[in-house]
Amino acid sequence: MTDLSAFPIAARWPAKHPERIQLYSFPTPNGVKVSIALEELGLPYEAHAVNIGKDESWTPEFLSLNPNGKIPAMIDPDGPGGKPIGLFESGAILLYLTDKTGKLIPADPVRRYETIQWVFFQMASIGPMFGQVGFFHKFAGREIADKRPLERYRDESRRLIGVLETRLKDRSWIMDDDYTIADISMLGWVRNLIGFYEARELVGFDDFPTVAAWLERGLARPAVQKGLNIPARG
């Protein structure tokens, strides 16, 4: 039987199937990237809900695996050399899963690095900017009288959507006809921006029909639909 006792997080969120990949997450844009990828790849996994509303990601057990205190985190009991590996940061986990399976990323080295750059584009730009729009438009930040921060993040988010609009012109996916981790990294963020964050009108999303069509294609995928709700919020 697989032994996960070296990982303190496994004591707080015990594994029923320790031989499977263990995912510690919550259905946020960063969290669902990994659940969607796992569903697309068909890898056996067990999902544990780390309730960020109850600050569970700041518990010592979670921090022992992810010192950044953000979801998601993951343990693969069958890591490199057959030894368990613990990982945090969603982009790194996506890259690990593509290396493990050889799927969801082009085999050609040039196109592989091109894919990775779009994953980094999400991590460095889309994620932080859209998250700030959410804070200042929907959450506590909306109470701030000075609207300049909201305007700054609104304008930058609109610019970033424009970057996607240009990239997706005459393409089905970020990497032409190849659906990859680049798409997976961004689908949840764009969905949240216009849905959960209620910022569709704020950023003028309807001015970007190519991005809207890409989002619709992505959300129609069965693995995406399933992964968006894993782990269940309870």
Side-chain angles (χ1 to χ4, degrees):
M1 184 174 178
T2 304
D3 182 9
L4 299 179
S5 61
F7 297 92
I9 195 170
R12 185 179 180 99
W13 289 277
K16 294 180 180 178
H17 305 281
E19 75 283 359
R20 300 179 185 177
I21 288 173
Q22 302 294 306
L23 174 64
Y24 307 91
S25 190
F26 202 65
T28 69
N30 279 334
V32 300
K33 293 179 209 172
V34 178
S35 56
I36 290 171
L38 289 166
E39 286 293 325
E40 292 280 9
L41 293 166
L43 289 170
Y45 70 100
E46 182 176 357
H48 305 275
V50 179
N51 193 324
I52 59 175
K54 297 179 180 179
D55 289 334
E56 288 184 345
S57 65
W58 299 107
T59 58
E61 295 88 351
F62 188 83
L63 290 171
S64 69
L65 182 55
N66 184 352
N68 193 30
K70 305 291 184 180
I71 53 96
M74 188 191 82
I75 297 172
D76 182 0
D78 183 28
K83 297 180 180 180
I85 182 174
L87 294 168
F88 70 96
E89 295 298 340
S90 57
I93 294 173
L94 289 180
L95 287 171
Y96 172 79
L97 293 174
T98 64
D99 284 345
K100 181 179 179 73
T101 62
K103 299 177 181 178
L104 293 178
I105 197 167
D108 175 75
V110 173
R111 287 178 58 77
R112 172 183 166 83
Y113 281 110
E114 190 176 357
T115 304
I116 292 172
Q117 78 178 350
W118 285 104
V119 174
F120 285 9
F121 169 74
Q122 181 276 303
M123 294 172 65
S125 299
I126 279 185
M129 289 300 112
F130 288 11
Q132 292 298 328
V133 165
F135 174 76
F136 283 102
H137 182 62
K138 180 170 181 173
F139 298 113
R142 71 189 305 171
E143 300 172 4
I144 299 174
D146 186 347
K147 297 305 177 185
R148 285 176 295 181
L150 172 61
E151 293 167 0
R152 182 260 189 273
Y153 291 118
R154 174 203 63 196
D155 293 347
E156 180 64 1
S157 293
R158 182 175 170 84
R159 184 188 73 80
L160 295 172
I161 300 170
V163 172
L164 280 182
E165 182 79 5
T166 300
R167 174 64 183 181
L168 287 164
K169 185 178 181 180
D170 301 322
R171 290 183 171 92
S172 296
W173 305 108
I174 298 295
M175 295 302 296
D176 307 305
D177 293 329
D178 294 330
Y179 171 80
T180 68
I181 55 171
D183 301 286
I184 292 173
S185 73
M186 293 188 229
L187 284 168
W189 276 109
V190 177
R191 172 179 176 265
N192 253 42
L193 179 71
I194 64 174
F196 184 68
Y197 292 157
E198 301 171 350
R200 185 184 196 107
E201 184 176 349
L202 177 72
V203 300
F205 186 75
D206 292 336
D207 294 337
F208 305 98
T210 303
V211 175
W214 162 83
L215 178 63
E216 185 176 353
R217 280 192 298 277
L219 294 179
R221 297 179 68 89
V224 174
Q225 281 296 307
K226 186 173 181 181
L228 286 171
N229 297 300
I230 296 174
R233 288 178 179 263

